[in-house]
């Protein structure tokens, strides 16, 4: 028996470059296209159906109607009441998910290969012939009003809402809640929901993504026969005009370029929402950031987020959590929204440490302008790059990623290209990308007990606005 030398660890080779799974695109009669990922070995077939229905196209007085359309879409069709429709999905073994996003409506299905035709037929009925019962719409409106009241009293949600409003301004759709305000939601009627559905949920703008153990030609034919054809036949009888995507909600809208980095630091605007007796302070801090269409590519932004605050060993957590003990953890992310993106830091500080922690948070973020250590950049890049295969391990995630990109006017080649470019990102590239956006206007929201830490914010910024607690 040969002895094995265990005195030294085996060499770890550099993994091969990973690419997003290959797909084929097939044209559809009456719809945009179907993209098929043939993934042998996957246990189920995942289908994503997307329709442009951007929040920016909603009537100002009825904002949030897209979310209500999505949540009441499965409340019955012309042939199947809600309970029978739910049983039909259950009998077919089809998992259903519906959501309204900033870009449009997304309908997701999962089923075994033998049930693809059944799932597509049920989805066609759901998309083309929903009834939107008046009682169901009224119930959803009441539920949303309750949720909104609760959100306004939930520090994390309140901070996120105030951050968006402060950053984008009240005139931009991105500055107002995606699911609407109390004033707009309570105005929504069943007739409004039907009209919005008929204006937008049409096969002409639809894209379909299928991923799983399927044959491309066969599944494309099934999508045409069982989904698009019956959907198109129903829509041909509608008299209402189709909706038009406004510039603000269009895929690929260019983000405005920010001002170059200032030597004295970018201007900071601070909004404080007073919450007496709070044990901790919710924090949001950020600025306008890139979209997926930003000139120069999106590759540097994933490792930048990892370096600053998207990993347990990030710059912010290393100091604010591990060294100081002021927080359970801070997170940083770039969000490629419609029209223009965001960079946002989120988290919370203990009430007693809020003033000191806030000053330190701003100092740490400004320090990134001075450059990133090459070893830190490499670690962040490798984390973002080498975890990609795990993120796309299932057909459902592959289909969803392709569908999201499609709504943003992009193909899956965007992900493959970004990962290839990511392999070449270094500290200099990350620093340039950071400086490109960090020199503009910074906004910060603090939700907590202002009486405890307010005086400690002296010297942070002259631009401070305080929203008093109710009854004060």
């Amino acid at each position: 028996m040969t002895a094995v030398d265990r005195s030294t660890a085996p060499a770890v080779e550099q993994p091969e470059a990973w690419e997003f799974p290959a797909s084929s695109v097939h044209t559809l009669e009456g719809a945009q296209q179907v993209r098929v990922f043939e993934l042998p070995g996957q246990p189920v077939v995942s289908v994503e159906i997307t329709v442009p229905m951007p929040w920016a196209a909603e009537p100002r007085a009825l904002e949030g109607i897209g979310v209500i359309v999505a949540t009441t879409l499965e409340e019955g069709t012309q042939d199947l009441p809600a309970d029978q429709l739910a049983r039909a999905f259950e009998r077919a073994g089809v998992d259903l998910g519906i959501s309204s996003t900033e870009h449009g409506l997304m309908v997701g299905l999962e089923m075994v290969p033998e049930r693809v035709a059944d799932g597509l037929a049920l989805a066609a009925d759901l998309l083309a012939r929903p009834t939107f019962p008046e009682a169901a719409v009224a119930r959803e409106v009441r539920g949303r009003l309750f949720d909104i009241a609760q959100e306004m009293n939930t520090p994390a949600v309140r901070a996120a809402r105030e951050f968006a409003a402060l950053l984008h301004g009240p005139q931009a759709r991105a500055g107002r809640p995606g699911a609407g305000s109390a004033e707009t939601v309570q105005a929504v009627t069943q007739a409004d929901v039907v009209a919005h559905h008929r204006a937008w949920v049409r096969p002409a703008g639809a894209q379909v993504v299928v991923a799983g153990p399927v044959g491309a030609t066969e599944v494309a034919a099934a999508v045409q026969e069982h989904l698009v054809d019956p959907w198109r036949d129903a829509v041909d009888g509608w008299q209402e005009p189709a909706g038009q995507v406004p510039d603000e909600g269009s895929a690929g809208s260019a983000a405005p370029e920010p001002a170059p980095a200032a030597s004295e630091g970018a201007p900071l605007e601070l909004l404080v929402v007073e919450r007496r007796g709070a044990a901790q302070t919710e924090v949001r801090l950020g600025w306008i950031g890139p979209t997926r269409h930003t000139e120069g590519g999106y590759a540097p932004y994933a490792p930048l987020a990892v370096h600053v605050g998207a990993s347990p060993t990030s710059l912010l957590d290393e100091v604010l959590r591990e060294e100081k003990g002021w927080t359970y953890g801070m997170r940083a992310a770039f969000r490629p929204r419609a029209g223009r993106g965001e960079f946002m830091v989120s988290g919370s500080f203990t009430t007693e440490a809020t003033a000191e922690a806030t000053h330190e948070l701003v100092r740490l973020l400004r320090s990134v302008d001075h450059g990133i250590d090459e070893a830190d950049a490499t670690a962040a890049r490798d984390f973002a790059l080498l975890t990609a295969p795990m993120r796309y391990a299932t057909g459902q995630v592959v289909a969803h990623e392709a569908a999201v990109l499609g709504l943003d006017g992009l193909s899956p080649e965007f992900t493959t290209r970004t990962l290839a470019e990511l392999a070449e990102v270094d500290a200099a590239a990350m620093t340039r990308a950071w400086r490109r956006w960090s020199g503009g206007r910074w906004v910060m929201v603090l939700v907590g007990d202002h009486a405890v830490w307010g005086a400690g914010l002296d010297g942070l910024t002259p631009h401070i606005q305080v929203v008093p607690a109710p009854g004060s």
Side-chain angles (χ1 to χ4, degrees), residues 342-391:
E342 299 172 351
F343 169 75
M344 182 174 70
V345 172
S346 59
S348 60
F349 296 139
T350 61
T351 293
E352 295 75 14
T354 293
E356 192 175 2
T358 299
H359 282 280
E360 184 65 7
L361 170 60
V362 172
R363 186 194 70 78
L364 288 169
L365 291 175
R366 294 205 189 281
S367 73
V368 182
D369 274 333
H370 304 312
I372 300 171
D373 182 79
E374 197 66 59
D376 292 336
T378 299
R381 181 199 64 201
D382 288 350
F383 180 89
L385 184 64
L386 301 181
T387 56
M390 294 187 295
R391 294 198 298 273

Coordinates of all heavy atoms in Angstrom, one line a residue, residues 342-391:
E342 N -28.3 53.5 -8.5 CA -28.0 54.0 -7.2 C -26.9 53.2 -6.6 O -26.6 52.1 -6.9 CB -29.2 53.8 -6.2 CG -30.5 54.4 -6.6 CD -31.7 53.9 -5.7 OE1 -31.5 53.0 -4.9 OE2 -32.8 54.5 -5.9
F343 N -26.1 53.9 -5.7 CA -25.3 53.3 -4.7 C -25.9 53.5 -3.4 O -26.2 54.7 -3.1 CB -23.8 53.8 -4.8 CG -23.0 53.3 -3.7 CD1 -22.5 52.0 -3.6 CD2 -22.7 54.2 -2.6 CE1 -21.7 51.6 -2.6 CE2 -21.9 53.7 -1.5 CZ -21.4 52.4 -1.5
M344 N -26.0 52.5 -2.6 CA -26.6 52.7 -1.2 C -25.9 51.8 -0.2 O -25.7 50.7 -0.4 CB -28.1 52.4 -1.3 CG -28.8 52.6 0.1 SD -30.6 52.4 0.0 CE -30.7 50.6 -0.2
V345 N -25.6 52.5 1.0 CA -25.2 51.8 2.2 C -26.4 51.7 3.1 O -27.1 52.7 3.3 CB -24.0 52.5 2.8 CG1 -23.7 51.9 4.2 CG2 -22.8 52.5 1.9
S346 N -26.6 50.5 3.7 CA -27.7 50.4 4.6 C -27.3 49.6 5.8 O -26.3 48.8 5.8 CB -28.9 49.6 3.9 OG -28.5 48.3 3.5
G347 N -28.0 49.8 6.9 CA -27.7 49.1 8.2 C -28.3 49.9 9.3 O -29.1 50.8 9.2
S348 N -27.7 49.6 10.5 CA -28.2 50.4 11.7 C -27.1 50.5 12.7 O -26.2 49.6 12.7 CB -29.4 49.6 12.3 OG -29.0 48.3 12.7
F349 N -27.1 51.5 13.5 CA -26.2 51.8 14.6 C -26.9 51.8 15.9 O -28.1 52.1 16.0 CB -25.5 53.2 14.4 CG -24.7 53.4 13.2 CD1 -24.8 54.5 12.5 CD2 -23.8 52.4 12.7 CE1 -24.0 54.7 11.3 CE2 -23.1 52.5 11.6 CZ -23.2 53.7 10.9
T350 N -26.2 51.4 17.0 CA -26.8 51.6 18.3 C -27.1 53.0 18.5 O -26.3 53.9 18.1 CB -25.9 51.0 19.4 OG1 -24.6 51.8 19.4 CG2 -25.6 49.5 19.2
T351 N -28.1 53.3 19.3 CA -28.5 54.7 19.5 C -27.3 55.5 20.1 O -27.0 56.7 19.7 CB -29.7 54.8 20.4 OG1 -30.8 54.3 19.7 CG2 -30.0 56.3 20.8
E352 N -26.7 55.0 21.1 CA -25.6 55.7 21.8 C -24.4 56.1 20.9 O -23.8 57.1 21.1 CB -25.2 55.0 23.0 CG -26.2 54.8 24.1 CD -27.3 53.7 23.8 OE1 -27.0 53.0 22.8 OE2 -28.3 53.7 24.4
A353 N -24.2 55.2 19.9 CA -23.0 55.4 19.1 C -23.3 56.1 17.8 O -22.4 56.3 16.9 CB -22.4 54.0 18.8
T354 N -24.6 56.5 17.6 CA -25.0 56.9 16.2 C -24.2 58.1 15.7 O -23.7 58.1 14.6 CB -26.5 57.3 16.2 OG1 -27.3 56.1 16.5 CG2 -26.9 58.0 14.9
A355 N -24.0 59.1 16.5 CA -23.2 60.3 16.0 C -21.8 59.9 15.6 O -21.4 60.3 14.5 CB -23.2 61.4 17.1
E356 N -21.1 59.3 16.5 CA -19.7 58.9 16.2 C -19.6 58.0 15.0 O -18.8 58.1 14.1 CB -19.1 58.3 17.4 CG -17.6 58.1 17.4 CD -17.0 57.6 18.6 OE1 -17.7 57.3 19.6 OE2 -15.7 57.5 18.7
A357 N -20.6 57.0 15.0 CA -20.6 56.0 13.9 C -20.9 56.7 12.5 O -20.3 56.3 11.5 CB -21.6 54.9 14.2
T358 N -21.8 57.7 12.6 CA -22.1 58.4 11.3 C -20.9 59.1 10.8 O -20.6 59.1 9.5 CB -23.3 59.3 11.6 OG1 -24.4 58.6 12.0 CG2 -23.7 60.1 10.3
H359 N -20.2 59.8 11.6 CA -19.0 60.5 11.2 C -18.0 59.5 10.6 O -17.4 59.8 9.5 CB -18.4 61.3 12.3 CG -19.0 62.6 12.7 ND1 -18.8 63.7 12.0 CD2 -19.9 62.9 13.7 CE1 -19.5 64.7 12.5 NE2 -20.2 64.2 13.5
E360 N -17.8 58.4 11.3 CA -16.9 57.4 10.8 C -17.3 56.7 9.5 O -16.5 56.5 8.6 CB -16.7 56.3 11.9 CG -15.6 55.3 11.6 CD -14.2 55.8 11.5 OE1 -14.0 57.0 11.8 OE2 -13.3 55.1 11.1
L361 N -18.6 56.5 9.3 CA -19.1 56.0 8.1 C -18.8 56.9 6.9 O -18.3 56.4 5.8 CB -20.6 55.8 8.2 CG -21.4 55.4 6.9 CD1 -20.8 54.1 6.3 CD2 -22.9 55.4 7.1
V362 N -19.0 58.2 7.1 CA -18.7 59.1 6.0 C -17.2 59.2 5.7 O -16.8 59.2 4.6 CB -19.3 60.5 6.4 CG1 -18.8 61.6 5.4 CG2 -20.8 60.5 6.4
R363 N -16.4 59.1 6.8 CA -15.0 59.2 6.6 C -14.5 57.9 5.8 O -13.6 58.1 4.9 CB -14.3 59.2 8.0 CG -12.8 59.4 7.9 CD -12.0 59.1 9.2 NE -12.1 57.7 9.5 CZ -11.3 56.8 9.0 NH1 -10.4 57.1 8.1 NH2 -11.4 55.5 9.4
L364 N -15.0 56.8 6.2 CA -14.6 55.6 5.5 C -14.9 55.6 4.0 O -14.1 55.2 3.1 CB -15.2 54.3 6.1 CG -14.7 54.0 7.5 CD1 -15.6 52.9 8.2 CD2 -13.3 53.4 7.4
L365 N -16.1 56.1 3.7 CA -16.5 56.1 2.3 C -15.7 57.1 1.5 O -15.3 56.9 0.3 CB -18.0 56.5 2.2 CG -19.0 55.4 2.7 CD1 -20.4 55.9 2.6 CD2 -18.8 54.1 1.8
R366 N -15.4 58.2 2.1 CA -14.5 59.2 1.5 C -13.1 58.7 1.3 O -12.4 59.1 0.3 CB -14.5 60.5 2.2 CG -15.9 61.3 2.3 CD -15.7 62.7 2.5 NE -17.0 63.4 2.8 CZ -17.9 63.8 1.9 NH1 -17.7 63.5 0.6 NH2 -19.0 64.4 2.2
S367 N -12.7 57.8 2.1 CA -11.3 57.3 2.0 C -11.1 56.5 0.7 O -10.0 56.3 0.3 CB -11.0 56.5 3.2 OG -11.6 55.2 3.2
V368 N -12.2 55.9 0.2 CA -12.1 55.1 -1.0 C -11.7 55.9 -2.2 O -11.0 55.4 -3.1 CB -13.4 54.3 -1.3 CG1 -13.3 53.4 -2.5 CG2 -13.9 53.5 -0.1
D369 N -12.0 57.2 -2.2 CA -11.5 58.1 -3.2 C -10.0 58.2 -3.4 O -9.5 58.4 -4.4 CB -12.1 59.5 -3.0 CG -13.5 59.8 -3.5 OD1 -13.8 59.1 -4.5 OD2 -14.2 60.6 -2.9
H370 N -9.3 57.9 -2.3 CA -7.9 58.0 -2.2 C -7.2 56.7 -2.8 O -6.0 56.7 -3.0 CB -7.4 58.2 -0.8 CG -8.0 59.5 -0.2 ND1 -8.0 60.7 -0.8 CD2 -8.6 59.6 1.0 CE1 -8.6 61.6 -0.1 NE2 -9.0 61.0 1.1
G371 N -8.0 55.7 -3.1 CA -7.4 54.5 -3.7 C -7.7 53.3 -2.9 O -8.0 53.3 -1.7
I372 N -7.6 52.1 -3.6 CA -7.9 50.8 -3.0 C -6.6 50.0 -3.1 O -5.9 49.9 -4.1 CB -9.0 50.1 -3.8 CG1 -10.3 51.0 -3.7 CG2 -9.3 48.7 -3.2 CD1 -11.4 50.5 -4.6
D373 N -6.3 49.3 -2.0 CA -5.1 48.5 -2.0 C -5.3 47.3 -3.0 O -6.4 46.7 -3.1 CB -4.9 47.9 -0.6 CG -3.7 47.0 -0.5 OD1 -2.6 47.6 -0.3 OD2 -3.8 45.8 -0.5
E374 N -4.2 47.0 -3.7 CA -4.3 45.9 -4.7 C -4.7 44.6 -4.2 O -5.5 43.9 -4.8 CB -3.0 45.8 -5.5 CG -3.0 45.1 -6.8 CD -3.8 45.9 -7.8 OE1 -3.5 47.0 -8.2 OE2 -4.9 45.3 -8.3
A375 N -4.2 44.2 -3.0 CA -4.6 43.0 -2.4 C -6.1 42.9 -2.1 O -6.8 41.9 -2.3 CB -3.8 42.7 -1.1
D376 N -6.6 44.1 -1.6 CA -8.1 44.1 -1.3 C -8.9 44.1 -2.5 O -10.0 43.4 -2.6 CB -8.4 45.4 -0.5 CG -7.8 45.5 0.9 OD1 -7.5 44.4 1.4 OD2 -7.6 46.6 1.4
A377 N -8.4 44.7 -3.6 CA -9.1 44.7 -4.8 C -9.2 43.3 -5.4 O -10.2 42.8 -5.9 CB -8.5 45.7 -5.8
T378 N -8.1 42.6 -5.3 CA -8.0 41.2 -5.8 C -8.9 40.3 -5.1 O -9.6 39.5 -5.7 CB -6.6 40.7 -5.8 OG1 -5.7 41.5 -6.6 CG2 -6.5 39.3 -6.3
A379 N -9.0 40.4 -3.8 CA -9.8 39.6 -3.0 C -11.3 39.9 -3.3 O -12.1 38.9 -3.4 CB -9.6 39.9 -1.5
A380 N -11.7 41.1 -3.5 CA -13.1 41.5 -3.8 C -13.4 41.0 -5.2 O -14.5 40.5 -5.4 CB -13.2 43.0 -3.7
R381 N -12.5 41.1 -6.1 CA -12.7 40.7 -7.5 C -12.9 39.2 -7.5 O -13.9 38.7 -8.1 CB -11.6 41.1 -8.4 CG -11.7 40.6 -9.9 CD -10.4 40.6 -10.5 NE -9.5 39.6 -10.0 CZ -8.2 39.7 -10.1 NH1 -7.6 40.7 -10.7 NH2 -7.5 38.7 -9.6
D382 N -12.1 38.4 -6.8 CA -12.2 37.0 -6.9 C -13.4 36.5 -6.2 O -14.0 35.5 -6.6 CB -10.9 36.4 -6.2 CG -9.7 36.5 -7.0 OD1 -9.8 36.9 -8.2 OD2 -8.6 36.2 -6.5
F383 N -13.8 37.2 -5.1 CA -15.1 36.8 -4.5 C -16.3 36.9 -5.5 O -17.1 36.0 -5.6 CB -15.3 37.6 -3.2 CG -16.6 37.3 -2.5 CD1 -16.6 36.4 -1.5 CD2 -17.8 37.9 -2.8 CE1 -17.8 36.0 -0.8 CE2 -19.0 37.6 -2.1 CZ -18.9 36.7 -1.1
A384 N -16.3 38.1 -6.1 CA -17.4 38.3 -7.1 C -17.4 37.3 -8.3 O -18.4 36.8 -8.7 CB -17.4 39.7 -7.6
L385 N -16.1 37.1 -8.7 CA -16.0 36.3 -9.9 C -16.2 34.8 -9.7 O -16.9 34.1 -10.4 CB -14.6 36.5 -10.5 CG -14.2 35.8 -11.8 CD1 -15.1 36.3 -12.9 CD2 -12.7 36.0 -12.1
L386 N -15.6 34.3 -8.6 CA -15.5 32.8 -8.4 C -16.8 32.3 -7.7 O -17.0 31.1 -7.7 CB -14.3 32.5 -7.5 CG -13.0 32.8 -8.1 CD1 -11.8 32.4 -7.2 CD2 -12.8 32.2 -9.5
T387 N -17.7 33.2 -7.2 CA -19.0 32.7 -6.7 C -20.1 32.7 -7.8 O -21.2 32.2 -7.5 CB -19.4 33.6 -5.5 OG1 -19.5 34.9 -5.9 CG2 -18.5 33.4 -4.3
A388 N -19.8 33.2 -9.0 CA -20.8 33.3 -10.0 C -21.4 31.9 -10.4 O -22.6 31.8 -10.5 CB -20.2 33.9 -11.3
P389 N -20.6 30.8 -10.5 CA -21.2 29.5 -10.9 C -22.2 29.1 -9.8 O -23.2 28.4 -10.2 CB -20.0 28.6 -10.9 CG -18.8 29.5 -11.3 CD -19.1 30.8 -10.6
M390 N -22.0 29.4 -8.6 CA -22.9 29.0 -7.5 C -24.2 29.7 -7.6 O -25.3 29.2 -7.4 CB -22.3 29.1 -6.1 CG -21.2 28.2 -5.9 SD -20.6 28.4 -4.1 CE -20.0 30.1 -4.1
R391 N -24.1 31.0 -8.1 CA -25.3 31.9 -8.2 C -26.2 31.4 -9.3 O -27.4 31.6 -9.2 CB -24.9 33.3 -8.4 CG -24.2 33.9 -7.2 CD -24.2 35.5 -7.3 NE -23.5 36.0 -8.5 CZ -22.2 36.2 -8.5 NH1 -21.5 36.0 -7.5 NH2 -21.7 36.7 -9.6

